[in-house]
Amino acid sequence: MSYAGSDVAWDWKRMTLYRATDAADTMNCVSMLIAAYCEHVGVDPETLRGYLQLSQQHNRADGPEDHDRAQLAGLLNEAAPAGSDEIGAVRAMFDRGQRQAEAAQHPEDHPEVLFTMACLHGLRARLCDDLSSLDQFPPEVAAMARRVAECLEVPEPATT
């Protein structure tokens, strides 16, 4: 979020992907540490493989796949890509993208989304000391974000 709203907004794609892949690598390290512990305490190897959801593992080096492009097409309300007319992963991801796009059009129907948006925007506004930036959001998000930002305000010490 901070890259999109700053003077380096032109660089948001690169920086967002850097941060997202850094987070993915960190979570992978955490997962492997927990897996090592499970292995250490005797969790059955097949059970551990199931816990690790190895069938969902994909290599970033391969780049986006058909199901990723299908989900994006659904999110952007574009035509379904080739192969999505069949029942399968590509169709499922296209449909998922469409559902996510529809839900995003009506965040007021999802209080958890509004709350998350408010927390993120309130935190950013407080960190940047720019509460006026909250004026650009829908009123219900802006009001909650202001409350979040106010909670994060460090009180000034009392003077005598």
Side-chain angles (χ1 to χ4, degrees), residues 12-26:
W12 75 267
K13 294 174 202 131
R14 178 178 67 92
M15 295 307 297
T16 302
L17 281 171
Y18 280 170
R19 297 304 175 251
T21 54
D22 287 348
D25 289 342
T26 300

Side-chain angles (χ1 to χ4, degrees), residues 65-87:
E65 296 180 9
D66 289 343
H67 65 273
D68 300 311
R69 291 181 194 92
Q71 185 175 7
L72 178 64
L75 283 168
L76 297 176
N77 198 27
E78 294 179 349
S84 61
D85 52 343
E86 304 170 16
I87 300 298

Side-chain angles (χ1 to χ4, degrees), residues 120-139:
L120 292 172
H121 294 306
L123 177 60
R124 181 181 181 279
R126 174 54 57 210
L127 289 172
C128 297
D129 199 26
D130 183 16
L131 296 181
S132 65
S133 68
L134 299 174
D135 296 338
Q136 65 184 322
F137 299 108

Side-chain angles (χ1 to χ4, degrees), residues 28-144:
N28 189 57
C29 288
V30 169
S31 297
M32 291 301 101
L33 181 62
I34 295 168
Y37 174 77
C38 290
E39 190 177 69
H40 177 75
V41 297
V43 172
D44 174 66
E46 282 305 307
T47 301
L48 184 55
R49 290 176 63 79
Y51 290 168
L52 289 170
Q53 304 179 57
L54 297 179
S55 64
Q56 295 179 27
Q57 181 65 37
H58 298 285
N59 186 349
R60 286 195 312 261
D62 296 337
E65 296 180 9
D66 289 343
H67 65 273
D68 300 311
R69 291 181 194 92
Q71 185 175 7
L72 178 64
L75 283 168
L76 297 176
N77 198 27
E78 294 179 349
S84 61
D85 52 343
E86 304 170 16
I87 300 298
V90 173
R91 179 65 202 195
M93 293 308 287
F94 177 74
D95 292 344
R96 181 183 196 184
Q98 287 184 314
R99 286 190 307 275
Q100 290 169 325
E102 178 61 31
Q105 296 301 312
H106 306 285
E108 63 278 0
D109 295 341
H110 305 279
E112 67 281 0
V113 173
L114 285 176
F115 180 71
T116 302
M117 288 171 57
C119 287
L120 292 172
H121 294 306
L123 177 60
R124 181 181 181 279
R126 174 54 57 210
L127 289 172
C128 297
D129 199 26
D130 183 16
L131 296 181
S132 65
S133 68
L134 299 174
D135 296 338
Q136 65 184 322
F137 299 108
E140 61 275 10
V141 173
M144 281 192 285

